Amino acid sequence: MTAPAPIRVCAVLLHDGRLALIRRDRPDGVQHSLPGGLLGSGEDPHAALRRELLEELGLNADDPPNPPVLRFVEFSGLSCVRDVSELQ
């Protein structure tokens, strides 16, 4: 039996036309990615994203200045397989 693929939550944060990215120094070079991380076993995706935003940016996502737009998408490699927002 194949292990399930890890699930990553991330946020696209725009402010004054600027996109928030996290800089990570990796052995093979610098990587920039959206704020977020892997979903823990049994962890709710919304809770995981709030945790990651607090850890990486010090951002309290419990009281955002504007209501967030939530989208859930499924990827295979670098290609979006389907938008699964309707499942939420």
Side-chain angles (χ1 to χ4, degrees), residues 4 9 18 23 44 51-52 59 65 74 76-77 79-80 88:
V9 295
R18 295 170 44 187
R23 177 190 165 112
D44 173 74
R51 174 181 53 76
E52 290 289 345
L59 180 64
E74 182 178 322
S76 175
S79 301
C80 182
Q88 195 51 25

Side-chain angles (χ1 to χ4, degrees), residues 1-75:
M1 182 174 195
T2 305
I7 297 173
R8 185 176 195 280
V9 295
C10 61
V12 176
L13 301 172
L14 300 171
H15 181 71
D16 291 337
R18 295 170 44 187
L19 174 66
L21 294 174
I22 302 298
R23 177 190 165 112
R24 292 182 170 88
D25 293 318
R26 304 285 189 197
D28 58 340
V30 174
Q31 175 190 41
H32 290 88
S33 62
L34 295 170
L38 294 177
L39 190 66
S41 178
E43 188 174 21
D44 173 74
H46 296 102
L49 187 54
R50 283 192 300 273
R51 174 181 53 76
E52 290 289 345
L53 291 175
L54 187 60
E55 288 174 4
E56 294 181 343
L57 300 174
L59 180 64
N60 180 352
D62 290 329
D63 190 22
N66 298 308
V69 177
L70 301 176
R71 301 288 298 201
F72 296 88
V73 293
E74 182 178 322
F75 283 87

